[in-house]
Every structure is written in structure tokens, then in C-alpha cells.
Amino acid sequence: MANIKPSLAKGTRDFTPSEMEKRNYIFNVLRAIFKKFGYSEIQTPSFENLSTLTGKYGEEGDKLIFKILNSGDYLSKVPDGALADKASNKLIPYISEKALRYDLTVPFARFVVMHQHEITLPFKRFQIQPVWRADRPQRGRYREFYQCDVDVVGSSSLLNEAEFILVYQEALEVLGLTDFTIKVNNRKVLTGIAEVIGKPELIVDMTVAIDKLDKIGLEGVNSELLERGFTPEDLAVLKPIILLEGTNQDKLASLREVLASSATGMTGIAELEEVFAYLTRFGKAELLEKVVEVDITLARGLNYYTGCIFEVKTNQVAMGSIGGGGRYDDLTGMFGLKDLTGVGISFGADRIYDVLEELNLFPASSAASTEVLIVNFEKEAESYTLPLLARLREAGVAAELYPAANKLKKQMSYADDKKIPYVLLVGEEEIQSGLLSLKNMATGEQQKASVEQLIVLLKNGTAI
Amino acid sequence: MANIKPSLAKGTRDFTPSEMEKRNYIFNVLRAIFKKFGYSEIQTPSFENLSTLTGKYGEEGDKLIFKILNSGDYLSKVPDGALADKASNKLIPYISEKALRYDLTVPFARFVVMHQHEITLPFKRFQIQPVWRADRPQRGRYREFYQCDVDVVGSSSLLNEAEFILVYQEALEVLGLTDFTIKVNNRKVLTGIAEVIGKPELIVDMTVAIDKLDKIGLEGVNSELLERGFTPEDLAVLKPIILLEGTNQDKLASLREVLASSATGMTGIAELEEVFAYLTRFGKAELLEKVVEVDITLARGLNYYTGCIFEVKTNQVAMGSIGGGGRYDDLTGMFGLKDLTGVGISFGADRIYDVLEELNLFPASSAASTEVLIVNFEKEAESYTLPLLARLREAGVAAELYPAANKLKKQMSYADDKKIPYVLLVGEEEIQSGLLSLKNMATGEQQKASVEQLIVLLKNGTAI
């Protein structure tokens, strides 16, 4: 084997122990909340048949799907012409029949269709798995990253929408965030607006433009709307909608006036009102004042969502959305199972990680696995330290004996580097007296304790 | 989008909620034990540079590595000749620079070399991730499967070997296995045997042959040894070694006689003895009688292991090894970091899953996520059931309200299919009295309880 200087594939990352602890902390918090709300975990394979993925993400998306080269003599079935052209795209179907998961949604749709006779509707699932995209890597954008999706299919009840707001709220609060906004909109309200203006065919242009309000302001939005085929009269109708202000109730009241002539628009408003009514019945009316915010400029994934749309932002750190989702009416149609409604949200795990890091919100314990290191003074002491180690572990204390009688300094820096909070010094005196010296690595303080006391101190977190 | 009948890529699997619960149960048990022994989790990317993986798994292995097609116009850099030949193998370097992880060992070696200035030795890590192999799929063999590896690098202490035996023992016992064997051998003992016979160059032939003792018996082994260049005199020397019997102490005593003239062989015996002495000092001497078994026919991964070798079998179910490992002295040499010793073991998660399934050892709770379903009798009752749902969840009880007032039968079969153990019937009478009816789905029994009582019953698992 030749020696090669090892490197990571472009756009990928290793996760060190402390990074893993933090990531697992986030996933475990989310997982516990999803389960408490009745969602079950599933996983799908890392690669799918290429035909399952192709055509689901638009032309640009198709290019970003990682294709897997067929095994064996993969060129044998290629017609001569296809090779001579050197046409990379045309050759793909002959040499690749598998591709890496690009998101969790399409594999979930395939899962639902393939398992439709085993699963009971409504089917509430969550899924936390990596996805892969052949994007140009840049700061914060990787070719391998985790998605975390929660969906329910087969239930049109708006209780589901309300519960997703509760899931977001509980998750972000448990993670320690104190100021965040859950924006909500409804696709039917957007449709209603386009109808009222008399340009239902321009709904996409309209939403693309007003979605940019935050970035380019009203003037910018207006000139883009004009470019996209709207008239100055349309802008006059749109202006109060775009600049909607006040409480959620105020906004819905204004919308109700403007959209009175659109049945679809009124349905959208009624849906938002029902979701809010659910929150109130849940005893969470205060969310409607502080956290949930009607935002009709919110239009993410418009071609996909058919009802409520969500997006979550933290107000504590400058960061894009840390989650989003909505209701869709045709998830599984692409695989031949029609009219199955669903609603789902996702959590942006990488961004949430960065937010918690910036706000210093990871629990201290999530950095360490071992709680106590027994210092190894001399091999002869092992007849004392090994039974001690066994007892600590039996009591459920994560413990290690340094595996050789190296210099104390080396052993202490091992504990330091591994962020082990305590070391146990077991010298001749300690063995004689049965009172061991426990040292807090952060403060340098020491205390003496018997093995029994030690276990209580470490288990209860009451050691100095 | 065309409707296509969806299918899984060959050799891959979906994991349904109940399968996920069981897999997570295994992984969580293992993870907790690894941490208690001081191992930290890491993860490496799903794909590596192809050059990182090529040449590490032998010629056959190279063929089984899934290669990822380069993105974009991947044919543009191919020299014309390489295409005209239609030589699949020669073309690979031009059109693929990335490949899917084939095992966890090579990426771990890369990790250690790349992070050598950040990590503190000894570095104790575990890793639970899928790997991919382009094997022909068959019963029990998948193209995507999980590996679960635990290693320590940078410590030559045999304490590590002893601790791995404890890790195996604790893990299998916690998982509910009652009868298993941890076989141990030492590469140096095998070297010693080949030396004593005077044919050190035939060590691989010798071990390949005696490794088959279980399958082909002594006669078979003998004829294979003759074919591979051993003489009848050699067989006479080998016979008592191959048929070694008695306790571990008996076996080591016999070996000590046979290998007296081989320094390497004697070192191997001394290493086994030290590992056993560690177990005794740990207070686990009983393992040496019931669980640990010296087996000099054990030779797995011979080209790789340099010291102790392990293999684990359950005696309760007919199944190949469910784990194995050993010490190696040159893990990172392939990436230019020499003389870093290590020792590691792995758990065969898929096989352990099958064993637990066959022995019915999965805990009942690992099938369900939701503990109680509130039946939805009528929308009007939601002003009562929603606050109730919120209270249950606040108390940490995984709970759902069926999202629509469908027929009772439909709601009950939802609970049944999802293996929800309890349903809560909240009709007019219950709302009036404040005493709710809790029904055990398995027994059909019902009991009345106030909300407060209910929470206690469900939290403590004391409901009927």
C-alpha cells in the first residue's frame, strides 16, 4: 500500500467526540419530543433507484443528485453511440441505476406507497438521516448533512398543524432558546390574493416577489411585481396586504375584508383561525401573542404546499430559518397513490447546532462521556484499582483507569483533553485508609471519600 | 412526473417504526456500555475520496466498493483512448473520485491520522454507522448494513483487551443472552506454532487450514495441511495443539510446553495470561471458567491482527459469530503514521438483532412510542380532551388524541396497529365526573381514574 496523505472528500466532515455529543444531544431532545407527540421513527436506505429520485427536484436538483456507478463491467451495456458522443448526461442511465438520498421527503413518499397495506393511517413518522447533494461546498453548506423531518399523512385535521406549532415551541424551549418566531401562512390565502387581483395565473410570480420583502423592501417588491406583469392598480390592492400590521387577529381581520370575494382565500383564513383555536383549547393562547406570527409574505416551497405553511426563526442570533414545513395534498401522487394529504415540518439541525454553540446553550455534560478517571500510580495498585473500577461501573458511573503507570502530568492532561470532570487519586495512603481523593479538574479542589460515598457523590452530581 | 411503481434498490431495506425501536434499543444498550467504559463516539462521512479506500480491502474488496460518479460533465476529462476501449476498470479513475464507506476501520485510520494533533492518546472511540458493499444480495446479506466498532489506539496495555471481554460480557448480558462464548487466541501463539514446526513462512496456510477444524474435522484439516506443504511429521506436532483440551489453564500449560523454544510463542502465552490476570483482578475470574475460551484455531483477520484475537458466539441460537476483534500494530501505517498500536472489537448488529428476535428478548416497550391514545368521540369534547392531552405530555407521558371523531372501531384499530398499550375513553359521563376510563388494549380491562391518578398510573407503569 502506498502512503497517501489522507484527506476528506470535499464538502464532508468528520465528527469528533465533542461534536458527536452535541449533535446527539440535539437529536435526542428532538426524538423524545417527537415520541411524546406520537410520532414513530423510520429509516430509509441511503441509496434509492435512480428512477425513484429523478424528476422530483427540478432540473437543477437532478444535477445535484449523487449517482452511484454500476458495479462490475458497467460499460458493457452502453451502446457504442452513447460513448462516442462523450455526452455525460445521456450516458448516465446506462452506467448508473442508483443514487444517494437527496432529501427525506421523496424516500418517505416511496415508503408510504410501498408499505401502504402495513401502515395505519394517520401515519405519524419522523426521520433523522443524512442526505447528500453535489452542491459547491461553502461555509455552512456541506455535501453531506442531516435532515430531521416530522410528518403525518392521512389526516386532514388541523389539529396536526396546531401540534406542529407545539412541537416547535417545546423543542426550541427545551434546547434553551428564549426568543423565536414561528411564522405561519396559508397557501390558500396567497391563492385568494392572486384571485382578488384577477391574476390567479401569476400567483407564483406574486409570491416570489413578496417573499423578498425582508431583503429588498416594498419599493423593490413593487418594481419586481411590475416586471412580472402586475399593474400599478394591482400594487395598490397588494400594498395593504404586504404591509399587514398589528396582532394576528388584526391581520386576519384585514385579510377577511380584502379576500371577501375569494372563496379559496376565505378558506385559508378559516384554516389559520382553526389552528389558532386549537392552540387556545390546548391552553397555549399566549403563543399567539408572543411566538406565532401570521406572515403572508411567507411562501416557501409554494409549488408543493397546499394549506398552512410554517417557518421558524430565532431572534437571538442572526441566522436564516431553523425550521419550516407545511401541508401538502399530493405527496405520494408521484408514485401512483393519489389524494393522500399530509403535513410536516423539519428542523435544520446544522443551524440549530450553530445557534446553540453561539449562545453557549449546550449542557456541560454533553461534552464528556467519562465521569471519573482513576490515576494509575503503579501497576501493583491495580489489585486495588481494578475492583474499584468494576464497582464504579456497576453503579453506572462512567469510569476509566488510565491504562499504564505513566507520569501524573500525562494522565492529568489526558483527563483534561477528554474533559473528564473528576480524577481519583489512589495512592498508598488512600489504599490504607480506604478514603480516596477525588479531584475536581475544573476547580482543582479535592475531597476525601469512601467508595460508597464516592458513588453517591458522582451519581447525584454532588461532588465538590 | 411519470407514475412509476416504486421499489427499493437491490439489497437495501426500509426500517419500519417497530424495527427502528428494536435497532435503537440495541444501539442504545451498546452506546451506554461503551460510554461507561470511557469510549467516545465519532462519525466519519458516508463517502471518502476513492484513493482513501482503494487498495485497502484486497482486489475483491476493491470491486465491492460503491463508486460515486463525478458530478457535471464527468466525461470531459476522459482521454479518448480510455473510452474507446470500453474498459470499465480503466475508466474509473477518470469518472469517479469518491466512494461509499466500505467499513469503519479505514475511515477510522484516516480520522486518527488527520486529527492526530487534536486527539489525546490513548484514544478510545466507538462508531456505529452504515457501510455499503456491492455484494450479491442474499438472505441476511445486504448492500447497506450497520457496523458497530469499538477501538482504542495508542495504548499497548493488555488492560484494554481485558476490558473488551468485559464489554462483550456486559453488553450480551444486558441484551438478555445467557449462554455465549468469547473465544480468544493470540497471533503470536500461531506464529510460535509455525516457528516450532520450522515453517514460519507457512503460517497463513497453517491457520487457514486449522481455522476450518469446526467444519471439516481433523482429517480434513490434516489433508489440507499436507496439500499446503506440511509433512506428516509436522502433523504429529500440530495434532495435540489443534486438539487442545481441558480448561484454559490446561490449554495454556500444554502450549507452554510445545512452544518452549519459540520466544514469540511464549510472549503470546504470557499475553493471554496477563489478560486473564486482569479479569481476575477485576473480580471476574468466573468468566474464565464459563465464558472465555482459549481457541487456537481462531485466526480471523490474520494478516491484520498482531496480538490477541477475539470472537464471540451465542450458544442459544445457530448463528455465526456475533462479534470479533483483536490487536493490530499498524492501523494507520497506510496513511503514513507508523507504529501506532491499537485493539478493537466489533458487534454484528444485524445478527444480534436476529438472535434477540428469535429468542424473543426485545423488551415489550421497545415496540411502542405512544403510551395512551385519547379516543375522539366528538369535536365538541376537544375543549376537554386537548387540555388533558397537554397535561399528559407535560407530565412526560407520550400521548395522542385521535385527530378526528371517526368511528370507535377505526380509532381502536389505530391503537392496535400502533401497539399503543392504553386508550382513554372520555365521554360525557367521564367529563361530568372527572373520572376517565382507561382501557388496557391487551387485556381489555378498564379502570376509572382522575387525571392526577392517571398520570401516576401511566408514569409508574402501574395501570391495570
Side-chain angles (χ1 to χ4, degrees):
Chain A
M1 295 179 210
N3 278 347
I4 53 161
K5 197 172 142 52
S7 61
L8 282 162
K10 213 164 56 175
T12 67
R13 293 167 285 179
D14 283 329
F15 293 101
T16 62
S18 68
E19 290 163 341
M20 278 306 297
E21 287 291 332
K22 290 174 184 170
R23 274 157 44 90
N24 282 342
Y25 164 73
I26 293 174
F27 291 144
N28 289 339
V29 163
L30 296 179
R31 204 173 257 128
I33 292 169
F34 299 160
K35 286 188 175 186
K36 209 168 70 176
F37 279 80
Y39 296 90
S40 306
E41 187 165 12
I42 70 161
Q43 285 190 350
T44 63
S46 299
F47 55 75
E48 296 277 349
N49 289 320
L50 183 54
S51 57
T52 299
L53 305 186
T54 305
K56 309 302 188 300
Y57 308 105
E59 215 173 299
E60 273 312 299
D62 278 355
K63 286 186 198 157
L64 301 183
I65 295 172
F66 279 115
K67 287 98 185 167
I68 297 172
L69 196 59
N70 291 342
S71 309
D73 188 8
Y74 58 90
L75 286 177
S76 64
K77 286 180 195 157
V78 177
D80 289 331
L83 266 187
D85 287 0
K86 265 196 155 184
S88 293
N89 249 330
K90 269 199 261 172
L91 191 60
I92 288 176
Y94 299 107
I95 65 173
S96 168
E97 59 189 24
K98 293 178 290 296
L100 291 180
R101 186 167 55 220
Y102 181 86
D103 72 358
L104 303 181
T105 305
V106 171
F108 174 51
R110 180 199 49 69
F111 181 101
V112 169
V113 174
M114 282 184 67
H115 297 264
Q116 57 183 294
H117 302 298
E118 300 153 45
I119 62 183
T120 312
L121 297 181
F123 182 54
K124 299 170 77 169
R125 87 85 170 79
F126 72 91
Q127 197 170 347
I128 302 175
Q129 291 194 276
V131 301
W132 298 271
R133 297 183 182 180
D135 263 319
R136 185 184 298 274
Q138 57 188 53
R139 221 180 98 82
R141 192 204 280 163
Y142 299 96
R143 291 182 152 191
E144 172 177 65
F145 58 97
Y146 269 75
Q147 286 192 338
C148 175
D149 283 14
V150 202
D151 289 81
V152 48
V153 294
S155 167
S156 57
S157 168
L158 292 159
L159 172 60
N160 299 297
E161 275 84 341
E163 292 206 333
F164 280 130
I165 290 174
L166 297 181
V167 167
Y168 269 137
Q169 180 228 354
E170 182 161 346
L172 298 180
E173 281 186 8
V174 171
L175 290 172
L177 298 185
T178 52
D179 186 5
F180 50 86
T181 302
I182 304 173
K183 294 183 177 187
V184 295
N185 193 9
N186 193 299
R187 158 69 188 246
K188 297 185 179 98
V189 168
L190 293 171
T191 305
I193 297 170
E195 279 178 16
V196 165
I197 296 175
K199 295 188 168 141
E201 76 284 3
L202 288 186
I203 179 172
V204 172
D205 292 271
M206 181 187 85
T207 52
V208 166
I210 65 179
D211 197 23
K212 295 182 184 164
L213 183 67
D214 269 1
K215 285 186 199 140
I216 58 176
L218 183 62
E219 300 254 325
V221 170
N222 278 345
S223 47
E224 184 155 343
L225 285 168
L226 290 172
E227 272 170 42
R228 286 174 178 267
F230 289 87
T231 64
E233 292 73 42
D234 299 338
L235 300 195
V237 182
L238 273 173
K239 188 176 166 190
I241 303 176
I242 298 175
L243 296 182
L244 220 52
E245 282 203 340
T247 66
N248 289 321
Q249 285 313 322
D250 294 341
K251 290 178 183 174
L252 292 181
S254 307
L255 283 173
R256 226 177 285 121
E257 281 179 35
V258 178
L259 299 182
S261 65
S262 161
T264 307
M266 293 305 277
T267 305
I269 295 170
E271 287 183 6
L272 287 172
E273 282 172 333
E274 185 161 355
V275 172
F276 294 171
Y278 269 118
L279 292 178
T280 304
R281 267 174 267 154
F282 260 118
K284 301 280 184 174
E286 86 276 9
L287 287 181
L288 297 174
E289 265 139 56
K290 289 183 297 187
V291 172
V292 175
E293 185 187 312
V294 171
D295 180 355
I296 67 102
T297 70
L298 177 64
R300 46 184 297 144
L302 183 75
N303 293 317
Y304 183 65
Y305 294 127
T306 52
C308 284
I309 305 173
F310 307 105
E311 189 165 273
V312 181
K313 275 186 57 179
T314 164
N315 303 316
Q316 297 173 270
V317 173
M319 177 75 71
S321 78
I322 54 176
R327 181 171 287 274
Y328 41 83
D329 277 346
D330 194 26
L331 175 73
T332 54
M334 58 179 124
F335 298 119
L337 184 61
K338 296 286 181 202
D339 299 326
L340 190 61
T341 186
V343 54
I345 58 171
S346 72
F347 284 80
D350 282 306
R351 284 188 177 174
I352 291 172
Y353 185 105
D354 290 343
V355 169
L356 298 192
E357 194 75 294
E358 191 166 336
L359 297 174
N360 208 10
L361 287 175
F362 283 110
S365 69
S366 75
S369 56
T370 299
E371 284 167 72
V372 60
L373 174 76
I374 305 175
V375 171
N376 196 330
F377 282 118
E378 48 173 359
K379 195 161 171 52
E380 289 63 40
E382 287 181 357
S383 58
Y384 187 88
T385 51
L386 287 172
L388 170 64
L389 178 59
R391 281 206 50 197
L392 287 170
R393 286 177 179 160
E394 265 160 37
V397 176
E400 290 178 64
L401 170 67
Y402 194 86
N406 287 345
K407 288 210 177 108
L408 182 60
K409 199 181 155 199
K410 189 168 182 185
Q411 300 191 42
M412 296 306 258
S413 67
Y414 175 81
D416 250 347
D417 292 344
K418 207 168 166 176
K419 297 200 175 58
I420 298 175
Y422 294 99
V423 299
L424 203 49
L425 303 156
V426 186
E428 239 173 89
E429 191 198 313
E430 280 84 2
I431 294 176
Q432 292 276 318
S433 67
L435 290 176
L436 313 177
S437 299
L438 185 71
K439 178 176 175 164
N440 182 315
M441 289 298 287
T443 64
E445 284 179 283
Q446 282 189 217
Q447 75 185 118
K448 295 256 181 188
S450 69
V451 180
E452 290 71 23
Q453 291 168 332
L454 199 64
I455 288 172
V456 174
L457 290 172
L458 291 170
K459 291 283 284 181
N460 297 348
T462 49
I464 52 156
Chain B
M1 294 180 212
N3 277 348
I4 52 162
K5 195 170 143 54
S7 62
L8 282 163
K10 212 163 57 175
T12 67
R13 294 167 285 179
D14 283 329
F15 294 100
T16 62
S18 68
E19 290 163 340
M20 278 306 297
E21 287 292 331
K22 290 173 183 169
R23 275 158 41 90
N24 282 342
Y25 164 73
I26 294 174
F27 290 144
N28 288 339
V29 163
L30 295 180
R31 203 173 258 127
I33 293 168
F34 299 160
K35 285 188 176 187
K36 208 168 71 175
F37 278 80
Y39 296 90
S40 306
E41 187 165 12
I42 70 161
Q43 284 190 351
T44 63
S46 299
F47 55 75
E48 296 276 349
N49 290 319
L50 183 53
S51 56
T52 299
L53 304 185
T54 305
K56 309 302 188 300
Y57 307 106
E59 215 173 301
E60 273 312 299
D62 277 354
K63 285 186 199 156
L64 301 182
I65 295 172
F66 279 116
K67 286 98 185 167
I68 297 172
L69 196 59
N70 292 342
S71 310
D73 188 8
Y74 59 89
L75 287 176
S76 64
K77 285 180 195 158
V78 177
D80 289 332
L83 266 186
D85 287 0
K86 265 197 157 184
S88 293
N89 248 330
K90 268 199 263 171
L91 191 60
I92 288 176
Y94 299 108
I95 66 173
S96 169
E97 60 188 24
K98 293 177 290 294
L100 290 179
R101 186 168 54 222
Y102 181 86
D103 72 358
L104 302 181
T105 305
V106 171
F108 174 52
R110 181 200 48 71
F111 180 100
V112 169
V113 174
M114 281 184 68
H115 297 265
Q116 57 184 293
H117 303 298
E118 300 153 46
I119 61 183
T120 311
L121 298 180
F123 182 55
K124 299 170 77 169
R125 86 86 170 80
F126 72 91
Q127 196 171 347
I128 302 175
Q129 291 193 275
V131 301
W132 299 271
R133 296 184 184 180
D135 262 319
R136 185 184 298 273
Q138 58 188 54
R139 221 180 99 81
R141 192 205 279 163
Y142 299 96
R143 290 183 152 191
E144 173 178 64
F145 58 97
Y146 269 76
Q147 287 193 337
C148 174
D149 283 14
V150 202
D151 289 80
V152 48
V153 294
S155 167
S156 57
S157 169
L158 292 159
L159 170 61
N160 299 297
E161 275 84 342
E163 292 206 333
F164 280 129
I165 291 174
L166 298 181
V167 167
Y168 269 136
Q169 179 228 353
E170 182 163 346
L172 299 180
E173 281 186 9
V174 171
L175 290 171
L177 298 183
T178 52
D179 187 4
F180 50 87
T181 302
I182 304 173
K183 294 184 177 185
V184 295
N185 193 8
N186 193 298
R187 158 71 187 244
K188 296 187 180 95
V189 169
L190 293 170
T191 306
I193 297 169
E195 278 179 15
V196 164
I197 295 172
K199 293 188 170 142
E201 74 286 2
L202 288 185
I203 178 171
V204 172
D205 292 271
M206 179 187 85
T207 51
V208 166
I210 63 180
D211 196 23
K212 297 182 184 164
L213 183 66
D214 270 359
K215 286 184 199 142
I216 58 178
L218 184 63
E219 300 254 327
V221 170
N222 278 344
S223 46
E224 183 155 343
L225 285 169
L226 291 172
E227 273 170 40
R228 287 174 178 269
F230 289 87
T231 65
E233 293 72 42
D234 298 337
L235 299 193
V237 182
L238 272 173
K239 188 177 165 189
I241 303 176
I242 297 175
L243 296 182
L244 220 52
E245 283 201 339
T247 65
N248 289 321
Q249 285 313 321
D250 294 342
K251 290 178 184 174
L252 291 181
S254 307
L255 283 172
R256 224 176 286 122
E257 280 179 34
V258 179
L259 299 183
S261 65
S262 161
T264 306
M266 292 305 277
T267 305
I269 295 169
E271 287 183 4
L272 286 172
E273 283 173 332
E274 186 162 352
V275 172
F276 295 171
Y278 270 117
L279 292 177
T280 305
R281 266 174 268 155
F282 260 117
K284 303 279 183 175
E286 85 275 9
L287 288 180
L288 297 174
E289 266 139 55
K290 289 182 296 189
V291 173
V292 175
E293 184 186 312
V294 171
D295 180 354
I296 68 102
T297 70
L298 176 65
R300 47 184 297 143
L302 183 75
N303 293 317
Y304 183 65
Y305 294 127
T306 53
C308 284
I309 304 173
F310 307 106
E311 190 166 271
V312 181
K313 276 186 56 180
T314 165
N315 302 316
Q316 297 174 271
V317 174
M319 177 74 71
S321 78
I322 54 175
R327 181 170 288 273
Y328 41 83
D329 277 347
D330 194 24
L331 174 73
T332 53
M334 58 179 125
F335 298 119
L337 184 62
K338 296 286 182 201
D339 300 325
L340 190 61
T341 186
V343 55
I345 59 172
S346 72
F347 284 81
D350 282 306
R351 284 188 177 173
I352 291 172
Y353 185 106
D354 291 344
V355 169
L356 299 193
E357 194 75 294
E358 190 166 336
L359 296 174
N360 208 11
L361 287 176
F362 283 109
S365 70
S366 75
S369 57
T370 299
E371 284 168 71
V372 61
L373 175 75
I374 304 176
V375 171
N376 195 331
F377 283 118
E378 48 173 359
K379 195 162 170 50
E380 289 63 39
E382 287 180 357
S383 58
Y384 187 88
T385 50
L386 287 172
L388 170 64
L389 178 58
R391 281 206 50 197
L392 287 170
R393 287 177 180 160
E394 264 159 38
V397 176
E400 290 180 64
L401 169 67
Y402 195 84
N406 287 344
K407 288 210 175 109
L408 183 60
K409 198 179 158 202
K410 189 166 181 187
Q411 300 190 43
M412 296 307 258
S413 68
Y414 175 82
D416 250 347
D417 292 343
K418 207 168 166 175
K419 298 197 173 57
I420 298 175
Y422 295 99
V423 299
L424 203 50
L425 304 156
V426 187
E428 237 173 275
E429 190 198 314
E430 281 84 2
I431 294 177
Q432 292 276 317
S433 69
L435 289 177
L436 313 177
S437 300
L438 186 71
K439 177 174 176 164
N440 182 315
M441 289 297 288
T443 64
E445 285 180 282
Q446 282 189 217
Q447 74 185 120
K448 296 252 181 191
S450 69
V451 180
E452 288 72 23
Q453 291 167 334
L454 199 65
I455 288 172
V456 174
L457 290 172
L458 291 170
K459 291 283 284 181
N460 298 347
T462 49
I464 52 156

